[in-house]
């Protein structure tokens, strides 16, 4: 996988490319580096040019000046496409990356060949509201043994009725 960096909107963005063919851009969710797409990138690289990247403030990408917006993150995707001379791409977004992918499609519809939204939502405001419960569960998903972190994540994303 070829590792690259570009500066867009005053922010250094780290990204990776693998394979040849129609472009696929994978946009990760909150707190996950672009390498989180490695299994999918490896599977797709035989038929596609796969691009993964670290969102602003994650991994090797710079944070930039606040506030961090979905629009700025979508501009980052388009900047990577511009740098690589990609006219159209399949765009995949997971969680927060789904919001970014939607904004890319809204801002530059002609550049999106297809749109895949994975475990995401249409509006970032509602799930983004911090509550004591979500803060505690978020902490549990990041601290402790692997089993404890997994349990914290499951409790954060699954409704209580399902867990019973």
């Amino acid at each position: 996988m070829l590792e690259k960096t570009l500066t867009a909107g005053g922010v250094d963005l780290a990204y990776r490319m693998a394979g040849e063919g129609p472009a696929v851009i994978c946009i990760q969710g909150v707190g996950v580096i672009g390498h989180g797409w490695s299994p999918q990138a490896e599977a797709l690289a035989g038929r596609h040019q796969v691009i993964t990247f670290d969102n602003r403030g994650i991994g090797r990408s710079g944070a930039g000046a606040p506030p961090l917006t979905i629009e700025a993150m979508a501009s980052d995707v388009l900047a990577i496409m511009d740098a690589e001379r990609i006219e159209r791409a399949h765009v995949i977004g997971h969680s927060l990356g789904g919001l970014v992918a939607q904004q890319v499609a809204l801002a530059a519809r002609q550049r999106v060949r297809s749109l895949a939204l994975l475990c995401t939502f249409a509006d970032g405001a509602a799930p983004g509201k911090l509550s004591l419960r979500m803060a505690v569960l978020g902490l549990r998903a990041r601290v402790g043994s692997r089993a404890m972190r997994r349990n914290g994540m499951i409790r954060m994303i699954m409704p209580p009725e399902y867990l019973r």
Side-chain angles (χ1 to χ4, degrees):
M1 196 167 263
L2 181 61
E3 302 221 7
K4 294 187 166 192
T5 303
L6 72 86
T7 301
V11 176
D12 290 336
L13 299 172
Y15 65 102
R16 286 149 298 285
M17 299 176 59
E20 292 183 23
V24 176
I25 298 183
C26 303
I27 308 167
Q28 204 45 281
V30 172
V32 182
I33 60 173
H35 280 295
W37 289 107
S38 291
Q40 292 83 4
E42 289 171 15
L44 292 170
R47 296 184 320 261
H48 298 276
Q49 176 185 45
V50 182
I51 300 169
T52 64
F53 66 100
D54 297 341
N55 283 317
R56 290 176 177 230
I58 300 296
R60 294 186 314 116
S61 289
L68 177 60
T69 65
I70 298 299
E71 291 79 12
M73 295 173 78
S75 293
D76 295 343
V77 173
L78 295 170
I80 292 170
M81 290 176 68
D82 290 344
E84 295 301 327
R85 295 187 170 99
I86 297 169
E87 288 186 35
R88 295 183 74 212
H90 299 284
V91 180
I92 303 172
H94 170 254
S95 193
L96 170 69
L99 290 174
V100 176
Q102 290 173 68
Q103 184 59 39
V104 170
L106 290 169
R109 172 181 286 181
Q110 72 282 5
R111 300 195 67 186
V112 177
R113 187 176 296 240
S114 68
L115 183 63
L117 304 173
L118 314 176
C119 194
T120 192
F121 32 88
D123 176 11
K129 292 180 181 167
L130 184 62
S131 68
L132 179 58
R133 177 182 180 274
M134 288 307 285
V136 169
L137 291 174
L139 184 61
R140 284 185 183 167
R142 293 216 167 285
V143 177
S145 69
R146 184 175 182 173
M148 291 167 66
R149 293 190 316 268
R150 182 177 185 282
N151 187 40
M153 176 60 79
I154 288 171
R155 291 191 177 284
M156 189 165 48
I157 62 174
M158 297 291 192
E161 305 81 48
Y162 179 83
L163 294 173
R164 275 184 261 172

